[in-house]
Amino acid sequence: MALPNYDALIEWLQTGFDGDLRWVASFNHRTFSYKVKYIREDLKTDLSGMELETIIHRSMAVLSRDHVEDVYFHLGDAEALLVKHEKAMAVHLYLTEETGVVIKLADGAEITVPAFFEDCRDHLDV
C-alpha cells in the first residue's frame, strides 16, 4: 500500500468544509501512536497538547478497528466509523488493520455517506 497523501486530503477538506474542519490526525492503534496532520488555528490553544493527546489516545483505544469488528463481527471488515457529537462529528477511516485517520468536523458540517468515505480514500490515494 502506498503512503497516504495527507496533504491532498487536507486541501480537499479545507476547500469543501472551510472553517468546519477542526483537525485531522493519522494513527496506528497497535503502537498507540498518532500524528496531527492539521489543526484549525483557533483550536491550537483550545486543544492544548495534553488535551488533544488524551482525545486521540482514547479514540484509538475505544474506537479501534479491532474493537469495532469485535462488536459487529457478523458484518465483516470495518472500513469507517462516524460518531456524531453535540458539538462536532468524528470520522474514523480505517486504512489498514493497524492504521487510520480521524477527521473532526464542526457541528453543522454536512457529509454524504458512504460517498464521503470514498472521497477521503481517493484523496489519500489509498
Side-chain angles (χ1 to χ4, degrees):
M1 179 174 143
L3 291 177
N5 187 345
Y6 291 106
D7 291 338
L9 173 66
I10 291 165
E11 183 179 326
W12 175 72
L13 290 167
Q14 285 178 311
T15 300
F17 293 97
D18 193 32
D20 284 342
L21 178 62
R22 294 175 56 87
W23 53 267
V24 177
S26 63
F27 66 86
N28 182 316
H29 80 92
R30 295 258 194 265
T31 61
F32 231 60
S33 60
Y34 73 93
K35 186 167 188 175
V36 175
K37 302 294 185 175
Y38 167 83
I39 186 166
R40 198 173 69 199
E41 195 63 38
D42 63 308
L43 296 176
K44 287 181 180 178
T45 52
D46 289 351
L47 294 174
S48 65
M50 187 55 118
E51 187 174 342
L52 185 59
E53 182 175 308
T54 301
I55 292 167
I56 295 172
H57 275 244
R58 285 180 180 172
S59 73
M60 281 190 290
V62 176
L63 305 173
S64 73
R65 183 178 188 166
D66 288 345
H67 180 73
V68 171
E69 288 177 350
D70 282 347
V71 172
Y72 297 108
F73 63 91
H74 60 290
L75 298 177
D77 293 340
E79 297 176 11
L81 177 68
L82 172 64
V83 182
K84 174 77 170 82
H85 301 271
E86 181 180 332
K87 297 181 181 177
M89 175 172 32
V91 177
H92 296 251
L93 190 62
Y94 305 117
L95 303 178
T96 69
E97 293 294 319
E98 296 142 2
T99 64
V101 61
V102 178
I103 302 162
K104 188 71 90 162
L105 299 169
D107 182 47
E110 293 185 17
I111 64 171
T112 302
V113 176
F116 179 77
F117 303 145
E118 294 162 6
D119 289 342
C120 288
R121 286 185 184 283
D122 287 348
H123 286 88
L124 283 166
D125 234 0
V126 293

